[in-house]
Amino acid sequence: MSSPLENLETQLEMFIENVRQIRIIVSDFQPQGQSVLNQKIQSLVTGLQEVDKLKSQVHDIHVPTEVFDYIDQGRNPQLYTKDCIDKALAKNEEVKGKIDSYKRFKSHLLQELSKTFPNEIAKYKAIRE
Amino acid sequence: MMSDQFRKVEQYSPKSSPRGARSPVVSRQDSSGTLKTTISLGKNPSIVHSGPFYLMKEPPGECELTGATNLMAYYGLEHSYSKFNGKKLKESLSSFLPNLPGIVDGPGQEDNSTLGSVIAKRPIGGKELLPLTSAQLAGFRLHPGPLPEQYRYVSATPPKRHKSKHKKHKHKDGAPPGQDTPLQDSSNQDSYKKTQKKQKRHDDDKERRKRKKEKKRKKQKHSPEHGGLTPSQHPVA
């Protein structure tokens, strides 16, 4: 059993192939090609019906609109995924860096404060524990 | 006790305070002189005892998942990461959709075929899709003959970048993407046969020429004119 997305992809590919064949028929039209053309036009309608039927199976799939920008510019949409992964990784590293820095800062601050205010820091630590 | 304090705060709220912005006088339980309370003003003034330190708050609860974790590994996306970063991705859309006929790498704005325009201006939907009646099909009756020149640009195929060797395995029908393959199988076979014949004839010609050359060489060896010249010393015909 193929996934809903695979079904949709197959249907769309068949539809595109149908359109391509119609293009070939009409690009140098022969009188005997009329019946074939009529069949092809009817199969276009059938193809659209099939795609329409699959609509309910893919309604929960969300696509970021930025992906469309990539496609509209003739670029590989996988580049968008790659960019997202790169950004997420960079942000992850940045946040980890901040957390580590704050941790080091906290321990250093406590260390220095306990030198200057030993009693208060002892109290503070007692509260925190 | 708290209600007493609230009443006092209300009494000295900024609106009704005769002393302007001065802090309200609130009785403190602590006699040591250190501030132990946090006073919040506003609509719901409150006084919270917060211990012996200034501005001391409860630390935020420990969160299991933070940026300190390698989130790529946590969500099991390392495979996707290595997939997209391991090899260099091809920039063009056609490399993602190799089976799509025609030229798809150009910007969609050129021929108003952007996906963005589908979102901006949604197509009419919600109507039932019905097969065309014979009367409707009559509208698609065409005149015989080729298309006028200006409409032929769409049938242009993108230039081949790869060797056909690689594409052979990708396409089941043996046709590279974007190329117009004939519709009928018989015509396809005919053209295939023709090319095969041409190839054969070409090979035959080659062999014939080879044989002639060899004969010539043999003759030259045995002829009296042949004076043991090296091939490079032969006069150019």
Side-chain angles (χ1 to χ4, degrees):
Chain A
M1 184 74 184
S2 50
S3 72
L5 271 180
E6 279 172 0
N7 284 341
L8 181 64
E9 197 179 330
T10 313
Q11 280 302 330
L12 288 173
E13 276 177 1
M14 279 160 65
F15 187 80
I16 290 166
E17 176 58 19
N18 213 2
V19 172
R20 190 186 72 87
Q21 291 185 2
I22 288 177
R23 200 188 71 197
I24 295 167
I25 294 170
V26 303
S27 62
D28 191 4
F29 192 67
Q30 304 298 318
Q32 64 267 31
Q34 188 64 56
S35 61
V36 184
L37 178 66
N38 289 356
Q39 276 176 19
K40 290 281 168 200
I41 290 168
Q42 292 294 21
S43 58
L44 272 192
V45 179
T46 320
L48 285 173
Q49 284 172 335
E50 291 300 319
V51 171
D52 192 55
K53 273 183 205 166
L54 294 169
K55 182 170 68 176
S56 59
Q57 293 180 26
V58 291
H59 76 280
D60 57 336
I61 293 169
H62 299 277
V63 181
T65 46
E66 288 89 344
V67 175
F68 295 158
D69 296 336
Y70 275 68
I71 297 168
D72 289 344
Q73 288 158 16
R75 297 177 71 201
N76 186 344
Q78 284 180 322
L79 289 170
Y80 173 77
T81 316
K82 185 181 179 293
D83 288 351
C84 279
I85 289 175
D86 287 344
K87 272 184 201 165
L89 190 72
K91 195 77 189 166
N92 195 174
E93 284 172 352
E94 189 188 316
V95 173
K96 184 174 164 42
K98 277 185 186 174
I99 289 171
D100 290 350
S101 298
Y102 275 121
K103 272 183 186 168
R104 279 201 298 275
F105 173 68
K106 188 187 168 187
S107 65
H108 189 65
L109 186 68
L110 275 177
Q111 199 184 333
E112 292 299 314
L113 280 172
S114 52
K115 282 181 197 166
T116 320
F117 308 105
N119 294 332
E120 283 81 358
I121 291 302
K123 270 185 196 172
Y124 172 80
K125 280 181 177 170
I127 293 167
R128 280 291 186 230
E129 281 164 10
Chain B
M1 197 194 73
M2 283 297 279
S3 59
D4 278 349
Q5 283 173 341
F6 277 123
R7 220 172 291 142
K8 279 178 187 171
V9 171
E10 263 180 54
Q11 212 178 341
Y12 292 103
S13 65
K15 274 184 190 170
S16 58
S17 172
R19 282 166 289 194
R22 277 173 63 185
S23 304
V25 181
V26 181
S27 65
R28 298 185 174 98
Q29 287 175 312
D30 180 49
S31 56
S32 66
T34 54
L35 183 65
K36 283 184 176 181
T37 51
T38 304
I39 302 163
S40 305
L41 297 174
K43 274 190 180 175
N44 303 308
S46 63
I47 298 169
V48 180
H49 293 273
S50 55
F53 297 103
Y54 279 104
L55 301 172
M56 187 163 159
K57 288 179 193 170
E58 275 301 305
E62 281 283 314
C63 189
E64 274 180 35
L65 192 63
T66 63
T69 321
N70 182 355
L71 295 170
M72 206 69 77
Y74 184 85
Y75 288 106
L77 293 168
E78 278 167 321
H79 173 71
S80 303
Y81 174 74
S82 55
K83 182 183 159 192
F84 288 113
N85 280 273
K87 58 170 184 176
K88 201 173 180 292
L89 274 178
K90 281 177 188 164
E91 273 271 333
S92 61
L93 180 60
S94 58
S95 60
F96 179 67
L97 298 167
N99 296 324
L100 213 59
I103 302 161
V104 291
D105 291 338
Q109 281 91 351
E110 279 178 6
D111 54 352
N112 270 340
S113 66
T114 58
L115 289 170
S117 66
V118 178
I119 298 169
K121 198 181 171 186
R122 291 185 65 182
I124 302 160
K127 285 186 179 179
E128 200 184 349
L129 294 160
L130 297 167
L132 300 181
T133 60
S134 54
Q136 286 167 325
L137 273 176
F140 292 95
R141 192 161 292 154
L142 300 182
H143 293 291
L147 269 182
E149 196 66 46
Q150 69 263 34
Y151 301 116
R152 276 187 216 166
Y153 75 100
V154 280
S155 51
T157 52
K160 275 191 200 175
R161 280 180 218 162
H162 309 285
K163 286 174 190 172
S164 53
K165 258 187 192 176
H166 299 291
K167 287 189 176 176
K168 238 182 195 176
H169 305 288
K170 280 183 184 173
H171 304 283
K172 288 166 199 169
D173 55 353
Q179 260 196 345
D180 291 343
T181 47
L183 293 177
Q184 290 163 338
D185 288 341
S186 57
S187 61
N188 197 2
Q189 279 175 347
D190 283 351
S191 63
Y192 180 68
K193 275 179 191 171
K194 274 180 190 173
T195 49
Q196 288 282 81
K197 272 185 184 176
K198 262 190 179 177
Q199 182 72 26
K200 225 181 175 184
R201 212 178 296 160
H202 187 71
D203 289 348
D204 286 351
D205 283 352
K206 259 189 174 178
E207 274 188 19
R208 217 177 295 157
R209 261 180 246 156
K210 249 188 180 179
R211 261 181 261 154
K212 267 190 176 179
K213 265 190 178 179
E214 276 180 10
K215 269 188 183 178
K216 228 183 177 181
R217 224 177 279 163
K218 277 179 187 174
K219 267 188 183 179
Q220 277 178 342
K221 269 187 181 176
H222 296 291
S223 69
E225 285 169 25
H226 188 260
L229 290 171
T230 56
S232 59
Q233 285 171 315
H234 278 291
V236 183

